[in-house]
Amino acid sequence: QVQLVESGGGVVQPGGSLRLSCAASGFSFSSYAMHWVRQAPGQGLEWVAVVSFDGNQRYYPDSVKGRFTISRDNSKNKVYLQMYTLRVEDTAVYYCAKDSVNWYFDLWGRGTLVTVSS
Amino acid sequence: EIVMTQSPATLSVSPGERATLSCRASQSVTSNLAWYQQKPGQAPRLLIYATSTRATGIPARFSGSGSGTEFTLTISSLQSEDSAVYYCLQYNNWPPWTFGHGTKVDIK
């Protein structure tokens, strides 16, 4: 079954850290770039990070650059998002998404909720 | 960064009628435009990629058109299950990938 399953969300205080995980199954994980996309409560979608199929290239938007790190372990079929110095505005559902090879997202997980609050 | 603007913000359509959703890019994205459907409490689902190609399993009542900076998603005969928020995504110039703010489709 082709799927992505996120985990690791929770409540964290401002300035804190959290690591999200995404487990992939049903496709050749090591052949595809992987993304994280987030959605603040009642808001739209915001792309957060991408890692290339081999883990050698990573990109971030300015809103998280220097605070978030994306990585992957192809031996475990997992992608991670390490988040540091979290802010209230980082509160969102974080989705893991598979790249199609042509740079749009063709498979999404169900998401994991991150709440940054004191 | 390419800014994507969707209109209208909300669309109310009767079952069986046509729904037309618009997406405008601040600069050309050629044909690298995708559409996603998101129902409450669910992850987004890919509907259309490359402006007009339906994803696997997507009904033929969904169609996409446009090029450059102006794009349209059309639902030819709205069904009750089509009530959702629809987002466009440009993947021509990245990073960053950028989404529109969404159009909510309500059933009258």
Side-chain angles (χ1 to χ4, degrees):
Chain A
Q1 184 181 2
V2 179
Q3 65 176 2
L4 299 169
V5 179
E6 302 93 337
S7 60
V11 180
V12 60
Q13 292 188 338
S17 301
L18 204 60
R19 190 176 88 150
L20 307 182
S21 298
C22 170
S25 59
F27 63 96
S28 180
F29 179 75
S30 61
S31 297
Y32 297 94
M34 295 295 296
H35 302 259
W36 287 94
V37 177
R38 68 183 179 183
Q39 186 170 37
Q43 302 301 309
L45 300 166
E46 180 189 16
W47 169 76
V48 169
V50 63
V51 62
S52 60
F53 71 98
D54 58 3
N56 287 339
Q57 291 181 298
R58 310 171 192 190
Y59 297 100
Y60 310 89
D62 289 344
S63 58
V64 307
K65 195 175 295 182
R67 300 189 300 121
F68 289 12
T69 300
I70 188 171
S71 62
R72 65 190 297 159
D73 186 337
N74 286 343
S75 68
K76 296 182 178 179
N77 285 1
K78 287 190 172 182
V79 61
Y80 305 98
L81 187 68
Q82 178 69 56
M83 303 183 292
Y84 300 100
T85 319
L86 282 161
R87 305 168 179 168
V88 171
E89 55 265 35
D90 295 319
T91 294
V93 173
Y94 284 73
Y95 295 102
C96 173
K98 170 184 168 290
D99 195 278
S100 65
V101 172
N102 290 309
W103 303 112
Y104 57 91
F105 318 133
D106 64 353
L107 177 68
W108 299 63
R110 291 191 164 191
T112 187
L113 176 62
V114 172
T115 302
V116 184
S117 173
S118 55
Chain B
E1 172 177 329
I2 296 179
V3 176
M4 306 301 291
T5 302
Q6 289 187 242
S7 62
T10 303
L11 190 59
S12 188
V13 181
S14 298
E17 292 192 343
R18 177 185 297 260
T20 302
L21 290 66
S22 295
C23 176
R24 174 178 294 177
S26 60
Q27 64 189 77
S28 177
V29 298
T30 63
S31 62
N32 292 321
L33 191 286
W35 290 93
Y36 295 86
Q37 176 193 65
Q38 187 179 34
K39 297 181 179 180
Q42 296 186 17
R45 177 174 73 145
L46 176 66
L47 292 178
I48 301 279
Y49 62 93
T51 297
S52 60
T53 304
R54 279 189 303 277
T56 302
I58 301 303
R61 65 180 182 274
F62 291 92
S63 64
S65 63
S67 67
T69 61
E70 301 282 345
F71 300 88
T72 300
L73 174 69
T74 302
I75 310 172
S76 60
S77 178
L78 198 75
Q79 308 295 305
S80 58
E81 62 264 31
D82 300 334
S83 177
V85 179
Y86 293 82
Y87 294 95
C88 61
L89 165 76
Q90 74 80 20
Y91 55 98
N92 191 66
N93 284 33
W94 53 262
W97 282 257
T98 49
F99 293 90
H101 290 291
T103 291
K104 184 178 181 182
V105 174
D106 286 332
I107 309 298
K108 270 186 186 175

